[in-house]
Amino acid sequence: MKKYITYTFIILFITSCSKTSEVSNSNNPNTTNNNFQEWLVPLGEIRDGGPGKDGIPSIDTPIFVDANSSDANYLDDDDLVIGIVKGSQIKAYPHIVMDWHEVVNDNFDGFPVTISYCPLTGTAFGWNGIINGQITTFGVSGLLYNTNLILYDRNSDSNWSQLRLQCINGSQISSIPETESVIETTWGVWKNMFPSTKVLSLFTGFNRDYGTYPYGDYITNNDFLLFNVNPTNNTLPSKERVFALIDNNLSKAYRFENFNNGKVVNETFNGNQYLIVGNNNIINAFKLSGSTLGLSFQYNYSNSEEFFIDNEGNKWNIFGKAIQGPRVGQKLTPSKSVVSYWFAIASFYPNPEIYQ
């Protein structure tokens, strides 16, 4: 469960808690460490977040514990987590920890994956850790664009906009990260779906008060932004969490309140057919094509891995994998999507549609 402190102490608290090996350099956006001056976004809209490069330290040797172990008792069932299933491994990364680190460089059966979470925009992604054939890790640059995390990769020192999903400065400029499917939901829901999950432990190697939320009333105060964003859109409350489809430079937002008691939506967006399925705690979306276009889907969640079914008798989990039925083992094509605060998705993908 989160406790709160006022923003007055945020920067001081983050930087003063760093262990001795942490970097505390000031990062000036006008003179980047990679010596590349070209940016894909207006330089005047890039902000120095305060702690400096690596002042918010990534977790590079994550330790995980069983969901039913006493070391996982720091979590309440309504705490938000970022969940991933890849190969034989199932893992959860709680906001309580990610609020303080923003980046976890992890490994799945030898395959590198970086999980990033920006607490200022409420956005989480999984990125393939191989760029141009080379394994890399990512860190927190200390810079923000539209109040959103800018990561840097440690091979080239290039800067990557998390929510834009693109390298915006450096030798990798214009490159697009390969994403991994992640889900944001509550710890209680995630445990019910995947009881064998591991969860990121508090043994991070850093001294942080993980029960304390570092940004005051930021989550609930719709008038509180640390920096201006461009453009602004007041159609919805700025901090309302929405599920957003991203298709090229367009986005469509789905409000969790419209999925109370469970819902399946099958609709066309930007010329593609999508299946959106969820409830007030969790939503995911898939791009339909070929034989899946002829399927009729129905929400069917009852506190287990099964989340929806179809007219062929298949049972599908939240990641779009058929876990029972004639298509068992098949996977629906994942969408490019994210849970985001409204103001953030609307600033990166202007004038998003809103599902009615």
Side-chain angles (χ1 to χ4, degrees):
M1 181 176 293
K2 291 180 179 177
K3 297 179 290 185
Y4 299 87
I5 58 176
T6 60
Y7 181 69
T8 306
F9 301 102
I10 293 171
I11 301 302
L12 176 62
F13 194 68
I14 290 175
T15 55
S16 66
C17 287
S18 301
K19 63 181 183 180
T20 55
S21 62
E22 294 170 25
V23 179
S24 58
N25 295 345
S26 175
N27 197 348
N28 184 345
N30 293 300
T31 55
T32 63
N33 292 339
N34 61 34
N35 297 318
F36 287 83
Q37 298 303 310
E38 180 185 1
W39 290 78
L40 293 184
V41 298
L43 191 61
E45 295 181 10
I46 296 171
R47 298 288 183 262
D48 187 331
K53 188 173 185 177
D54 287 322
I56 297 175
S58 63
I59 298 176
D60 298 329
T61 54
I63 297 173
F64 293 85
V65 296
D66 292 334
N68 59 1
S69 74
S70 60
D71 289 328
N73 287 344
Y74 72 93
L75 285 170
D76 292 336
D77 280 351
D78 60 354
D79 285 333
L80 291 173
V81 301
I82 302 150
I84 183 172
V85 176
K86 186 171 179 64
S88 63
Q89 295 182 277
I90 305 170
K91 297 181 180 180
Y93 308 78
H95 282 202
I96 282 177
V97 179
M98 299 299 289
D99 284 336
W100 291 94
H101 295 281
E102 303 189 8
V103 173
V104 176
N105 292 296
D106 206 348
N107 187 288
F108 288 78
D109 298 322
F111 190 90
V113 174
T114 294
I115 304 296
S116 68
Y117 173 69
C118 179
L120 300 182
T121 53
T123 48
F125 287 97
W127 287 2
N128 185 322
I130 300 176
I131 299 176
N132 292 335
Q134 292 188 323
I135 295 176
T136 190
T137 59
F138 288 85
V140 179
S141 71
L143 304 177
L144 301 167
Y145 171 60
N146 268 343
T147 309
N148 175 248
L149 168 66
I150 295 178
L151 304 91
Y152 76 96
D153 75 81
R154 292 182 173 132
N155 278 358
S156 71
D157 208 35
S158 297
N159 291 298
W160 301 71
S161 170
Q162 190 218 33
L163 190 45
R164 185 179 169 115
L165 290 166
Q166 188 176 39
C167 180
I168 57 174
N169 164 263
S171 62
Q172 303 297 322
I173 195 167
S174 299
S175 296
I176 306 296
E178 182 180 340
T179 57
E180 301 285 341
S181 295
V182 298
I183 290 292
E184 183 180 283
T185 188
T186 65
W187 176 231
V189 169
W190 183 256
K191 284 190 302 180
N192 285 335
M193 287 182 167
F194 302 102
S196 62
T197 185
K198 304 288 187 179
V199 60
L200 187 63
S201 81
L202 297 184
F203 306 117
T204 63
F206 297 90
N207 181 21
R208 297 293 188 272
D209 185 357
Y210 291 113
T212 299
Y213 178 67
Y215 297 99
D217 66 347
Y218 184 87
I219 291 177
T220 57
N221 187 342
N222 289 305
D223 298 321
F224 180 14
L225 291 179
L226 299 188
F227 300 99
N228 292 333
V229 298
N230 182 35
T232 59
N233 186 318
N234 298 320
T235 305
L236 297 178
S238 64
K239 302 295 176 53
E240 179 174 340
R241 291 173 64 248
V242 298
F243 177 85
L245 274 179
I246 301 171
D247 194 318
N248 292 323
N249 294 321
L250 300 177
S251 182
K252 185 166 186 175
Y254 298 80
R255 306 180 73 179
F256 281 88
E257 67 182 30
N258 290 333
F259 283 75
N260 283 336
N261 302 316
K263 178 180 285 190
V264 166
V265 175
N266 196 319
E267 62 179 0
T268 301
F269 174 61
N270 198 33
N272 292 305
Q273 194 69 23
Y274 285 99
L275 170 72
I276 303 94
V277 57
N279 57 37
N280 58 315
N281 285 315
I282 186 170
I283 302 175
N284 205 1
F286 311 94
K287 187 180 289 187
L288 300 179
S289 62
S291 65
T292 60
L293 284 170
L295 295 177
S296 176
F297 297 95
Q298 181 179 343
Y299 174 83
N300 195 51
Y301 176 61
S302 57
N303 297 318
S304 66
E305 184 177 357
E306 178 187 334
F307 199 66
F308 58 103
I309 58 177
D310 66 33
N311 57 310
E312 288 183 350
N314 299 293
K315 297 180 179 181
W316 305 83
N317 71 11
I318 188 62
F319 287 98
K321 180 180 180 179
I323 56 176
Q324 188 175 325
R327 295 178 184 256
V328 65
Q330 292 186 24
K331 294 182 179 180
L332 300 176
T333 303
S335 67
K336 185 178 291 185
S337 55
V338 67
V339 174
S340 170
Y341 294 142
W342 165 252
F343 85 84
I345 201 68
S347 65
F348 276 86
Y349 303 91
N351 300 312
E353 293 182 37
I354 300 175
Y355 170 75
Q356 302 295 326

